[in-house]
Amino acid sequence: MLKIVGYPDRYSVAPGEEIAFKISLEEGDTFEARLVRVVNGDCNPAGPGLKFPHIPTEIDGVHAGKPQRIDAGSYMIASDLPAIASRTFSFLGFVWPTLPKRGEQVIAAQWDPATQAGFQIGIGDEGRLSLTVGDGAGGTETVRVDHPMLERQWYQIAVTFDPASGEVTLDQRPLIPFAVIRDHGQYRGRIRLAVQAPATAFLLAGRPEADGTVGHHFDGKIDGPILLSGIRTHADHDGLLAGTAPHDVEVARIAHWDFSREIESVTAVDVGPFGRHGRLMQMPARAMKGHNWTGEEQAWPRKPEHYGAVHFHHDDVYDAAWETSVSLTIPDDLRSGAYALHAWSGDSDETATREAYIPFFVRPPRDKAKRGKRPPVLVLAPTMSYLSYCNHAEHITARGAERQMGRLLTFGHTDLYMYDHPELGGSHYDTHADGSGVCYSSRLRPNLNFSPRYHSWLGGPGSALYQYNADTHLFDWLEHKGVDYDLITDEDLHEEGYDLLADYRIVITGTHPEYHSTAMWDGMKAWIDRGGRLMYMGGNGWYWRIGFHKTEPGVIEVRRAEDGIRTWAAEPGEYYQSFNGEFGGLWRRIGRAPNVMAGVGFIAQGFDISTFYRRAPDADNPRAAFIFKDVPDEIIGDFGLVGGGAAGIELDCITPNLGGPPNMLRLASSDGHSAMMMLVNEEFGVVPPNLGGDQNERVHADLAFGETPSGGALFATSSIAWCGSLSHNDYDNNVSRITWNVLERFLDETPFV
C-alpha cells in the first residue's frame, strides 16, 4: 500500500508564482522533498530508463507531514437559519432515492452531534421515510412510515412536527403509483422526547458528525425543498411551486430553495422572504431532471423549471481541502516544461510505496512583456485528459475488463490504494456507487494515475503506458534532440485562447488530447487558420466536449450524450452541461468532428497489442518528400514501448465526409490489427459482424499530412502508441526520423504552399 500521496494546488504555474503541495503520510511525521524535471517517467526496462534530473531549490530537505483525509460526500449547507425545532414546522419536497437500502441517510437536518440535539429527516430501514429528534442530553427517538421507497422513483414527502405536543406526521407519496406495490408510506403519531433545538447550520443530504465531518449522506435527487412554520401539506407544497399558494402559506416559509435558479453556480437560491441561500458542497450534480420533467425540452437553459433537482452522492468530491505541506516559488529562470515534486518518507522496504512524484508544469510567464524571445515550438500538455481519467478505477470494479483487454490485468500499489480509498473520487469513466455516471472531475485531490512510473491497465503487453507516462516519451525525445520548447496546459489554453498560441509557429500535442472546452477548440482552430503548424502526436483527439466551472477552480464537466465510446450514458434530458448550458457529448455531434481540427478523426480502439504502419502511395507525393527523407522503409514502427508497435490503443484515420481538409495525404496506414481492435460505435448504425481489425478494413490509423490555405500545415500520427516508438534503437528508427523530418521542416519559416 502507498505510504505517501499528494497533489498540487494547480497543474500549471508560471515563473515567479507559488505552487503549494498537499501531502498525506501513512507512516512517520516527516518527509523529504526535492524538485525534479520529468524527462522520462517510463520504468519499462526496454526503454531509455527513468530520467528525473534534480533541480536544486529551497524546498530540498525535510518537511513536517501527517495523515490527511478527504471528507467525501455532497450536501447543501445554509448557515443562517433559526433553531427550527423550537417551533412547529413542516418540511416539504421531492426525493428520488438511488440507494434506498444503503442504510441511514439524511435528507434534511439541523443537528448538533456533540449534544445529540435537533432533528433529522431521512430514510433508512430499507428506505422508509423517518424523523429523528434529539433532546440534547444524548437521547434520541425515531419514527418511520410503514413502507419503503422504491429505487429511482419520485416521491413527494411531507414531514410535520409540533415540539410542544410531540405530534408528528410523515407522508411519502409516489408520483407514479404502481399496482400491487404499496410504497405510499404514512405515519401519524407522537414523540415523547423533549426536543432541544440547536442554532446550528441547516443541511440537506447529510448531517454533521462528531469528528467534524459531514456524514449519513443521501444518495439521490432532491427537488423543491421548503421549510415552513406550522402544519403544512402536499397541497401547500404544490401551491408554493405553482405560485398559487395563499398568503398565509407564502409568509410561513422559513426557507424555499429553488435549485432551478443559478444552475451554473454552487448557490442554492432561497426564493422565500428571508433569502437564506445555501451553498452546495463537494459539487453535487446540477441541471438534473426534476420531478416535473416531461421531455418537452431537452435543454435546461430553455426550461430551467424542469431541471430543479440536484443529484447528491455520498462519494462526490470536489476539494480534498488538505493543508499545504510544502510550497515553492518558481524561479524566474526555470525552463518551461514538465516537473514534479519528488517526496519520500516511511520505513517500508519497497521504494515504490514510500515515494511519490507529484507532477506539474511550468508555463511561460503570464505577462508577455516578461517573456522575452520564446522558442517557436509549443507543447500542449493534455491535462484535461489527465483530469478526466483522474483515479480511473473502472478496471478494478467493472466486470469484463479482462475480456476487453484480451488478457489478465495486473494491479499495482496505486490500484490497491484507489480500491481502499474510494473517497479519492472517481474519473469520468467511473460511476458513483448508485450507478450514475461521474460527470465532474476535479484536480483539487490526489490524481494517482497522473504520475511518473504509474502503470495503467490500458497500455498493452510489455507496457502499461497511457496518458501522462506516454507523454513523457515525447518529452524524452525532445530532450534527446535538443529541441527548445515552451509548454502550456489545456487549462492555460482554455483561459487565454488564441492569444497564448499566437507567438508560436508549431504546436505539438500529447498522445491523447481527448477533452476540449469550447474556448480551447476555438483558440486552437483560430491558430491553425492563421498559419499554425500542428503536430498531432496521438490518437482520439478533440473527441469529448467539456465545460469549466465559472467560479470554482479546477473542475470540469462532461456529459456522455447520445454517442461515443463511453462507460456510462447520461440520462435522457441531461445532455446539456450544468457549468455553461452547452450541449455536451461528442464534438462530432455539433458539426466539429476531430477531422475539422486535425485532418483525421477517431476510428478504432483496442488494448491488446500495437502494430505497425505500411507505406501508402501518397508517401511518394512530392509534397511529402521532406517527411520521408532517409526513410525508404515500407514498414514503419513495428517496435515500441506501448504494446510493441507504433499503431495501437486508439487510432484515427482520414474521413473526408467529416469535414477534414480534402488535400490530406495518406502517407501510411496501420496494418495487422487483431479482432480486439474494434471500430468505434459512432461509425455504424446497425452493428456489423466484422467489428475487429482482423476483418474490417476501416480499422486502421492513417499517418497524414496536409497544408492549410494560410501557409500552415497539419501532421497527424493518428495513434496513441506512436510516441512509444521514438526511443527505439537509441532513437535511431523510422518513427523518430519521420517525426524529426516533420519538426525540422515545420521549424523552417518558409510557408507551405
Side-chain angles (χ1 to χ4, degrees):
M1 192 63 69
L2 301 180
K3 306 302 180 184
I4 179 170
V5 296
Y7 64 98
D9 68 345
R10 63 188 71 187
Y11 285 174
S12 176
V13 60
E17 295 177 347
E18 184 178 77
I19 184 169
F21 300 93
K22 324 287 186 168
I23 308 292
S24 177
L25 304 181
E26 299 293 339
E27 285 184 359
D29 55 10
T30 62
F31 67 94
E32 293 186 67
R34 63 176 190 158
L35 177 67
V36 298
R37 185 174 174 97
V38 178
V39 176
N40 184 51
D42 178 13
C43 52
N44 189 325
L50 295 170
K51 298 178 183 179
F52 301 124
H54 174 216
I55 311 296
T57 67
E58 70 270 16
I59 64 169
D60 287 3
V62 179
H63 305 271
K66 63 180 181 180
Q68 304 204 62
R69 299 292 179 250
I70 299 174
D71 185 15
S74 57
Y75 58 97
M76 186 208 81
I77 183 169
S79 301
D80 57 352
L81 271 68
I84 295 166
S86 62
R87 68 181 93 175
T88 302
F89 74 91
S90 300
F91 178 80
L92 310 174
F94 297 94
V95 297
W96 191 75
T98 51
L99 288 174
K101 298 181 180 181
R102 184 173 65 84
E104 295 291 336
Q105 302 171 49
V106 172
I107 296 171
Q110 192 175 44
W111 188 255
D112 183 347
T115 63
Q116 300 286 284
F119 76 92
Q120 305 172 43
I121 298 165
I123 61 172
D125 189 19
E126 299 297 301
R128 297 190 293 159
L129 182 65
S130 66
L131 173 68
T132 299
V133 297
D135 63 5
T140 63
E141 187 174 347
T142 300
V143 295
R144 303 184 190 278
V145 302
D146 49 356
H147 287 279
M149 297 183 188
L150 298 177
E151 182 179 314
R152 294 177 178 265
Q153 297 294 326
W154 278 110
Y155 291 83
Q156 189 173 27
I157 62 172
V159 177
T160 70
F161 178 55
D162 180 354
S165 65
E167 291 184 358
V168 175
T169 62
L170 305 176
D171 192 353
Q172 66 178 39
R173 182 175 301 174
L175 267 60
I176 303 176
F178 292 92
V180 182
I181 298 172
R182 184 181 174 192
D183 52 355
H184 183 179
Q186 291 181 308
Y187 172 87
R188 186 180 298 275
R190 189 182 300 274
I191 282 179
R192 302 184 183 280
L193 200 69
V195 178
Q196 181 70 30
T200 56
F202 177 86
L203 272 65
L204 285 177
R207 75 169 195 195
E209 304 290 351
D211 62 359
T213 63
V214 173
H216 287 76
H217 295 278
F218 174 72
D219 278 291
K221 295 179 182 180
I222 298 177
D223 185 5
I226 307 177
L227 275 167
L228 300 102
S229 298
I231 304 298
R232 308 297 172 182
T233 66
H234 289 315
D236 295 322
H237 190 214
D238 294 337
L240 286 169
L241 295 179
T244 59
H247 180 70
D248 66 311
V249 177
E250 287 276 355
V251 299
R253 288 178 295 175
I254 302 169
H256 176 180
W257 293 284
D258 184 350
F259 294 150
S260 73
R261 308 286 184 98
E262 298 186 20
I263 284 176
E264 297 176 3
S265 75
V266 293
T267 300
V269 176
D270 176 11
V271 297
F274 301 106
R276 291 165 173 151
H277 308 304
R279 182 175 176 84
L280 297 170
M281 309 299 291
Q282 295 292 30
M283 208 64 70
R286 301 200 71 173
M288 295 284 108
K289 294 178 297 185
H291 72 283
N292 56 342
W293 185 77
T294 62
E296 65 188 87
E297 184 53 71
Q298 300 285 321
W300 68 259
R302 292 197 288 266
K303 206 171 188 68
E305 62 271 23
H306 280 194
Y307 289 85
V310 172
H311 194 152
F312 297 91
H313 306 89
H314 76 271
D315 51 3
D316 278 328
V317 60
Y318 161 59
D319 189 352
W322 286 359
E323 296 177 12
T324 296
S325 306
V326 62
S327 59
L328 171 68
T329 298
I330 302 300
D332 289 337
D333 60 351
L334 192 63
R335 290 170 54 202
S336 181
Y339 292 87
L341 180 80
H342 179 204
W344 63 99
S345 72
D347 301 320
S348 301
D349 292 335
E350 191 160 357
T351 301
T353 67
R354 60 183 181 89
E355 69 174 349
Y357 289 88
I358 303 172
F360 66 97
F361 300 97
V362 174
R363 53 158 290 164
R366 295 184 193 278
D367 186 349
K368 281 196 173 186
K370 296 181 179 179
R371 289 182 190 172
K373 183 174 174 57
R374 308 309 302 179
V377 178
L378 182 69
V379 173
L380 177 63
T383 49
M384 293 308 98
S385 290
Y386 305 157
L387 184 52
S388 196
Y389 285 86
C390 177
N391 301 328
H392 186 193
E394 176 196 358
H395 59 299
I396 301 173
T397 57
R399 297 294 177 262
E402 290 89 352
R403 184 177 300 166
Q404 184 182 7
M405 300 301 106
R407 65 182 185 280
L408 292 175
L409 304 182
T410 56
F411 294 158
H413 303 293
T414 300
D415 299 300
L416 298 177
Y417 190 90
M418 284 193 291
Y419 183 80
D420 279 355
H421 293 273
E423 73 277 6
L424 291 168
S427 74
H428 282 153
Y429 291 80
D430 297 305
T431 55
H432 292 285
D434 69 356
S436 59
V438 177
C439 61
Y440 303 147
S441 184
S442 163
R443 58 170 168 74
L444 300 180
R445 56 181 173 136
N447 185 347
L448 298 186
N449 46 6
F450 170 35
S451 177
R453 303 184 313 166
Y454 175 70
H455 271 211
S456 163
W457 57 290
L458 287 169
S463 162
L465 290 168
Y466 198 52
Q467 297 290 352
Y468 179 74
N469 270 330
D471 291 339
T472 70
H473 292 153
L474 174 62
F475 305 154
D476 176 59
W477 182 82
L478 291 169
E479 197 81 10
H480 177 80
K481 290 293 189 179
V483 178
D484 188 17
Y485 65 92
D486 278 345
L487 184 148
I488 63 168
T489 68
D490 285 345
E491 195 166 357
D492 295 322
L493 179 57
H494 171 80
E495 292 172 352
E496 300 180 44
Y498 167 77
D499 287 345
L500 188 55
L501 306 179
D503 293 336
Y504 297 92
R505 189 175 310 129
I506 303 166
V507 169
I508 304 177
T509 75
T511 59
H512 192 33
E514 183 177 8
Y515 290 84
H516 296 262
S517 69
T518 300
M520 291 168 60
W521 202 100
D522 290 348
M524 180 64 74
K525 190 65 168 66
W527 175 82
I528 290 172
D529 289 346
R530 287 162 175 77
R533 301 169 182 191
L534 177 68
M535 294 183 67
Y536 171 31
M537 298 295 291
N540 188 16
W542 294 275
Y543 192 62
W544 290 106
R545 191 184 205 182
I546 61 170
F548 283 76
H549 203 281
K550 294 180 178 179
T551 61
E552 307 306 298
V555 60
I556 60 171
E557 175 181 22
V558 67
R559 295 290 174 113
R560 306 290 192 193
E562 292 193 346
D563 208 348
I565 295 292
R566 52 196 173 158
T567 54
W568 56 268
E571 290 275 342
E574 294 177 354
Y575 296 161
Y576 284 76
Q577 294 170 164
S578 65
F579 288 177
N580 53 25
E582 294 179 344
F583 183 64
L586 298 185
W587 277 106
R588 175 172 174 167
R589 280 289 187 173
I590 62 166
R592 298 189 188 187
N595 313 66
V596 176
M597 183 72 74
V600 296
F602 194 25
I603 191 65
Q605 178 187 74
F607 306 108
D608 56 344
I609 60 170
S610 298
T611 64
F612 54 87
Y613 295 76
R614 189 181 299 277
R615 193 181 181 105
D618 283 351
D620 297 324
N621 189 302
R623 293 163 50 202
F626 72 94
I627 298 174
F628 286 92
K629 176 186 174 183
D630 299 325
V631 184
D633 313 352
E634 179 186 3
I635 302 300
I636 299 163
D638 54 342
F639 47 81
L641 300 173
V642 181
I649 308 297
E650 288 172 339
L651 311 178
D652 296 352
C653 75
I654 297 172
T655 309
N657 64 357
L658 288 177
N663 64 320
M664 293 296 291
L665 298 177
R666 186 171 65 87
L667 309 173
S669 294
S670 61
D671 202 347
H673 294 291
S674 75
M676 300 301 293
M677 178 64 77
M678 297 184 185
L679 195 70
V680 294
N681 53 278
E682 63 266 26
E683 285 293 324
F684 55 82
V686 176
V687 181
N690 58 332
L691 278 176
D694 59 334
Q695 300 181 61
N696 194 315
E697 68 281 355
R698 297 184 65 202
V699 175
H700 67 271
D702 285 336
L703 192 68
F705 167 76
E707 306 88 348
T708 64
S710 50
L714 306 173
F715 171 74
T717 68
S718 300
S719 163
I720 287 177
W722 178 272
C723 288
S725 301
L726 291 170
S727 65
H728 178 74
N729 191 36
D730 196 24
Y731 309 90
D732 184 12
N733 60 77
N734 49 30
V735 169
S736 178
R737 283 195 293 275
I738 286 172
T739 306
W740 176 253
N741 288 343
V742 172
L743 179 56
E744 189 174 46
R745 172 61 182 92
F746 278 23
L747 285 167
D748 183 344
E749 296 182 14
T750 305
F752 286 89
V753 178

